[in-house]
Every structure is written in C-alpha cells, then in structure tokens.
Amino acid sequence: MDNQKNSQFFPDNYDRNTLGLKKKLARKYNVKENFSALDISKNAYNIYDWLSERKVDNPNASSVYFFDYAAQTLGIPYQLLTESYFTQTQLTEEELFKHSTKFNTKLNEMNRTKTPSSQIEVPNFNEKIEEYFSQKQISELLKQLSIPGTNLSKSNLKRYNLNWLLSDIVKSVWGKITVNSNSEEQESLKLYFRKFFYKDKQEYSKQFLSLTKNKLTSLIQKEEIQKLEPDSELIKLLSQEKIDTDSLNKYIKQKQSSLRSLSYYKQFLVHLSHAFYLSPKNIFLLTGQLPTYSVVKTPLEWKYCEQEINQNAQPIFLFGDDNKSVIPFFDFKDTSG
C-alpha cells in the first residue's frame, strides 16, 4: 500500500483510489523499491536524485509523471511540487496537508467563505533580478558555476551548476516579493511569478534565461579578462593525419585543472548561450582551438541552416557522441549564406 507509518496527517488508506496509477508507474519505470505519494512530494526538491537512486530512466522527463501521481493522490496543486523543485525548498507534511483538497476539510470551507481580494500589483521582476545581481560579487557567482570535482564525463549533469544559480535567483526573488504579503496575496503573486519564471512544468522561461545571461555577460565584461590563446599542444595533437583519441583524452585529463580557472570561466560564460549544448570535454577542446568562437556546428547542421562552409575554413575537431572519435565542426564566421 502507498502509505507512511509515521504520517501525521494522511491516513494509511489514502491511496485506495490511486493504487492502479501507482502500479502503472512501478511497472512502466521498473521501480522495485516501495514509494509513496508522500515520499515523492517530500523529495520534490531533489526529485532527480530521488528517481536516479531508484534507477528510473530519464529522471527529468519521468519526474512529470511522478509529480502527477503525487498531486492526484494527495489532492495538492501540481505547481506546489514544481516550485519545491525549482526553488530547492523541501516541503513538509504540514505544508502538503495545508494545500490538500482531499484531506484538509477546512480548506474547502475557507475557499467558500473567502471574500474577493484586492487587486495585486504585478511585481517588476526585471528590477528584482537587477537587484539580485547588484548585491553579488562576480567571484561569488563564479563559485556557483564551478565544476563539481574534476569529472569531465557527459554524465556529470550538474556541470557548471548553472541550474543552481538560476534556482538561487528564483528563490531570492520569491522571498523578496512575498516578505510583506499575507498568504492570500501570495496565492495571487504565484500566478505572476510562474508566468515570468517558468515556461511550463519543467522549464525556465526564455525571458528569465535571456535576462540572466545578459546580466552575467555584462558583469563579466566589466572585469579584466585575460586573453586566452589557442593551445598549441592540443592543436598539434589534433593536426595529426589520424587523431589518437587515447592521447587526446590523456592530455585533457592532465590539463583539466585549467577548467576551474577564473580566466576560463569568464571566457566560457561570455559564450555560454552558444555552447551550452556541448559536453565539458568538447567545451575544453573548442576553447583550446578557438577561444573566441561564436556558434559551432557540423557541416550537415550548417547545411540545414542554409549556410555554406567557406573554401579555406579551418575545422574545429570535437568528440563525437561515443567520445572515441573526433568529427569536424565549423564556426559561424567560416560560413556564408
């Protein structure tokens, strides 16, 4: 049964009507360890790790279905769980019960007797984000964006910790706009807040990402940036007629400490929007060959963009998906169309 022995507010049989949905989830994702809607909700803030521990494939995508199940079972708003995740704030059982339309009988009574609220003024979120950055030192922001440890594998999904920075901004702004508001006003504020910061259940909005990138870039550009030069030893390895990927990986392992240098991060962040789709190893290779790149794509990808590779263009070699071969990429400035 989907229950919690130590649950204070939810009865042992609360899942009776959703047991079939739980079985469907367990079967679809091959979850052998017992789990409950309450478990999912209390772990919403670290759902990726929670699902990974249970060996669920594609935790990011599957979290939607687990959140749906928890929300239906407990009678709580789906948004309550996504806010917990995006703001990295753990939910308590008391908070979950407070929002439960299934088990909190007082909630419906309150909704029936609630008087119309006064119009809430829409907060200026741009100003709040400006204020956030004005109170941060660039060195403090760079620490949040550092690579955890020295692991350069593609499975290191928290590379550069960008999501932790975005989450910190969201949490900070939410705290400041609600500091003097009552619970009723906060419910109205949530509508404006979600519209600005979130595109849908799992993604940040473009306006928030764009503003954050621009603020980071302007801060970094005010700093004195050490000009990066192409890595001659790396280029020599990539200039061989047959590139030895074992030697290449060995060299990257030796040089990976430079990925944590301040100069590298300043350069990387300026071009963050152009290369975030690349793995850490490929960002290292790209910066070593072309420190001032703009946008790089394979010849086939440029063809889809209706761009032709210039005749004397110099290729940039990056790892393929298997990390055992290298394939040519070209910078935008080496194309025409």
Side-chain angles (χ1 to χ4, degrees):
M1 293 290 287
D2 186 6
N3 56 47
Q4 288 286 316
K5 292 180 181 178
N6 300 321
S7 173
Q8 292 178 274
F9 303 98
F10 298 98
D12 287 349
N13 63 346
Y14 71 75
D15 69 317
R16 189 165 289 168
N17 294 326
T18 52
L19 190 57
L21 183 57
K22 179 185 176 181
K23 287 180 178 179
K24 185 177 178 181
L25 271 182
R27 186 168 58 250
K28 181 177 180 180
Y29 293 103
N30 195 29
V31 184
K32 295 178 181 178
E33 185 178 334
N34 191 30
F35 65 94
S36 71
L38 192 55
D39 262 344
I40 296 166
S41 303
K42 289 166 77 172
N43 286 282
Y45 74 105
N46 66 342
I47 191 67
Y48 183 92
D49 293 334
W50 190 86
L51 290 174
S52 296
E53 287 171 6
R54 286 153 183 78
K55 296 180 171 51
V56 173
D57 290 336
N58 198 352
N60 269 338
S62 53
S63 65
V64 174
Y65 301 101
F66 281 86
F67 279 173
D68 272 337
Y69 164 69
Q72 287 183 50
T73 302
L74 301 182
I76 57 176
Y78 181 96
Q79 290 80 3
L80 188 66
L81 303 177
T82 56
E83 282 170 17
S84 171
Y85 172 73
F86 283 119
T87 61
Q88 293 294 290
T89 305
Q90 186 173 12
L91 290 165
T92 63
E93 191 173 340
E94 291 88 344
E95 289 171 309
L96 292 165
F97 178 77
K98 186 174 73 173
H99 290 86
S100 173
T101 55
K102 275 191 179 181
F103 301 101
N104 184 359
T105 54
K106 292 182 180 179
L107 186 63
N108 288 329
E109 292 174 10
M110 288 170 60
N111 288 336
R112 284 195 296 270
T113 58
K114 190 182 292 183
T115 55
S117 60
S118 57
Q119 185 67 33
I120 299 292
E121 184 180 349
V122 181
N124 188 326
F125 293 112
N126 286 42
E127 282 185 3
K128 298 296 181 184
I129 295 173
E130 293 271 351
E131 185 181 332
Y132 171 90
F133 279 100
S134 69
Q135 296 171 353
K136 297 280 185 179
Q137 296 293 323
I138 186 64
S139 57
E140 186 181 350
L141 293 170
L142 287 169
K143 281 181 184 176
Q144 293 189 60
L145 291 161
S146 62
I147 300 177
T150 56
N151 180 15
L152 290 182
S153 70
K154 195 172 183 180
S155 61
N156 189 356
L157 297 175
K158 292 177 183 175
R159 65 181 185 272
Y160 306 116
N161 281 348
L162 181 65
N163 278 330
W164 296 112
L165 174 63
L166 296 174
S167 173
D168 187 61
I169 297 170
V170 169
K171 191 173 182 179
S172 174
V173 172
W174 176 249
K176 287 185 177 177
I177 66 171
T178 58
V179 66
N180 294 318
S181 58
N182 59 42
S183 57
E184 184 180 335
E185 289 171 335
Q186 285 187 24
E187 288 302 313
S188 298
L189 284 170
K190 280 181 183 179
L191 299 175
Y192 300 117
F193 186 81
R194 284 196 294 267
K195 188 175 180 180
F196 183 91
F197 286 99
Y198 302 129
K199 178 182 175 183
D200 52 32
K201 292 177 181 178
Q202 292 290 316
E203 294 182 14
Y204 291 113
S205 67
K206 287 183 179 178
Q207 58 185 345
F208 171 45
L209 291 172
S210 176
L211 181 58
T212 302
K213 180 184 75 69
N214 291 339
K215 288 304 299 176
L216 271 174
T217 302
S218 63
L219 276 176
I220 294 160
Q221 287 176 337
K222 289 177 183 176
E223 297 284 311
E224 184 179 346
I225 301 177
Q226 178 185 339
K227 186 178 179 182
L228 297 181
E229 299 291 341
D231 186 331
S232 57
E233 195 171 346
L234 175 63
I235 291 175
K236 185 178 179 182
L237 283 170
L238 292 168
S239 300
Q240 297 173 2
E241 187 174 341
K242 185 176 181 181
I243 298 172
D244 185 347
T245 53
D246 289 336
S247 298
L248 196 57
N249 274 297
K250 186 178 179 181
Y251 179 73
I252 292 174
K253 191 174 182 179
Q254 291 171 349
K255 298 282 287 185
Q256 63 188 18
S257 60
S258 66
L259 287 173
R260 299 190 300 279
S261 73
L262 188 61
S263 296
Y264 180 87
Y265 273 110
K266 287 177 180 178
Q267 189 69 32
F268 169 75
L269 289 171
V270 170
H271 300 287
L272 180 64
S273 63
H274 303 307
F276 192 64
Y277 53 88
L278 296 177
S279 69
K281 278 188 178 181
N282 275 340
I283 291 175
F284 179 83
L285 289 180
L286 175 57
T287 309
Q289 296 170 80
L290 195 66
T292 55
Y293 55 83
S294 54
V295 179
V296 296
K297 296 179 184 289
T298 64
L300 185 58
E301 288 170 335
W302 281 127
K303 186 176 180 180
Y304 289 146
C305 296
E306 298 183 359
Q307 293 289 114
E308 294 292 331
I309 309 297
N310 295 339
Q311 189 172 358
N312 297 319
Q314 291 296 315
I316 304 146
F317 290 101
L318 304 180
F319 282 112
D321 290 336
D322 57 3
N323 273 340
K324 294 178 181 177
S325 61
V326 289
I327 55 179
F329 283 70
F330 291 88
D331 190 67
F332 174 72
K333 66 176 172 30
D334 289 325
T335 69
S336 56

